[in-house]
Amino acid sequence: QAGRAGALRALGRIPEALTAAEAALALRPDLAEAHNARGNALTNLGRAADALAAFDRAIALNPGMAKALANQGNALRYLDRPEEALAAIDRALELLPDDAEAHANRGAALLDLGRTDEALRAFDRALARRPAFPEALVGRGNALRDGGEAEAALPLYDRALSLLPHDVLVRWNKSLALLALGRFAEGFALYEVRKASSRIVGR
């Protein structure tokens, strides 16, 4: 059931993924993978505090579970605890130094802390391992934009949009870069698309 929860989540069937993870835990309350899968589903549902508790339980059962440490870091970011998030992600990277997602998550945590130069390096490490990684492309774009290089960020958002052409958050971030450059008509057009889409997808 824990594996099924991961497959359902990959398909975007998040409530079913949560049900599958909880069914696995009903059979095996000590299964770290199931707690991790439950935490992932809860994260997708916007329940960051509940997700953090699930990841904490997974790590208590398996302290060397790098995936759960990285996921714990994400949950802490969503709860606006970036220093703790960075520490959790760094522990994950000690175990999985070549994990592209963990490097991207590290970049996001550093960006939350305003450490733009370090964030850029983290996103570069993620993209060196996975060049077609939309989240890392957007993260690097955001770091450039926040560092006053909005023009340099635009090609990164465009590459991300070539991979995820309908993603409202990529469009949103590109709109912020356009607005920062004074390209208001283009920026507000993307902003309006994002607002309309968010009502549909619930982001």
Side-chain angles (χ1 to χ4, degrees):
Q1 288 283 357
R4 185 167 182 269
L8 287 165
R9 179 172 174 261
L11 292 169
R13 294 160 60 179
I14 308 303
E16 293 172 77
L18 179 59
T19 298
E22 290 178 342
L25 288 168
L27 296 170
R28 289 271 312 274
D30 61 345
L31 187 62
E33 286 283 353
H35 286 285
N36 185 62
R38 181 172 182 269
N40 282 332
L42 290 165
T43 299
N44 286 133
L45 291 169
R47 295 167 56 184
D50 293 333
L52 179 59
F55 297 133
D56 287 348
R57 181 61 180 149
I59 293 162
L61 290 164
N62 182 358
M65 191 176 185
K67 291 185 296 183
L69 284 164
N71 291 330
Q72 181 191 54
N74 281 339
L76 287 163
R77 280 193 61 234
Y78 298 143
L79 293 167
D80 198 25
R81 294 159 62 180
E83 290 280 6
E84 294 169 82
L86 184 60
I89 294 164
D90 282 345
R91 289 196 297 274
L93 280 167
E94 288 174 8
L95 299 166
L96 288 175
D98 290 321
D99 188 82
E101 288 191 15
H103 282 288
N105 292 342
R106 186 172 195 273
L110 287 164
L111 206 51
D112 291 341
L113 291 165
R115 294 160 61 178
T116 308
D117 290 343
E118 292 174 80
L120 279 169
R121 290 194 290 274
F123 290 124
D124 284 342
R125 292 186 191 103
L127 289 166
R129 289 157 176 82
R130 193 192 307 174
F133 188 175
E135 290 81 0
L137 289 165
V138 171
R140 192 176 200 285
N142 291 347
L144 287 169
R145 187 191 71 215
D146 289 358
E149 298 182 63
E151 189 72 50
L154 291 176
L156 293 160
Y157 297 132
D158 288 337
R159 282 174 60 196
L161 282 169
S162 74
L163 299 164
L164 296 174
H166 304 297
D167 191 278
V168 294
L169 294 180
V170 182
R171 290 169 178 260
W172 165 254
N173 283 294
K174 183 181 177 182
S175 77
L176 295 179
L178 289 166
L179 293 171
L181 290 166
R183 293 163 61 176
F184 299 114
E186 296 169 84
F188 281 121
L190 279 177
Y191 175 78
E192 290 301 324
V193 168
R194 193 264 180 183
K195 278 206 304 185
S197 301
S198 67
R199 288 196 292 272
I200 297 168
V201 301
R203 284 194 176 181

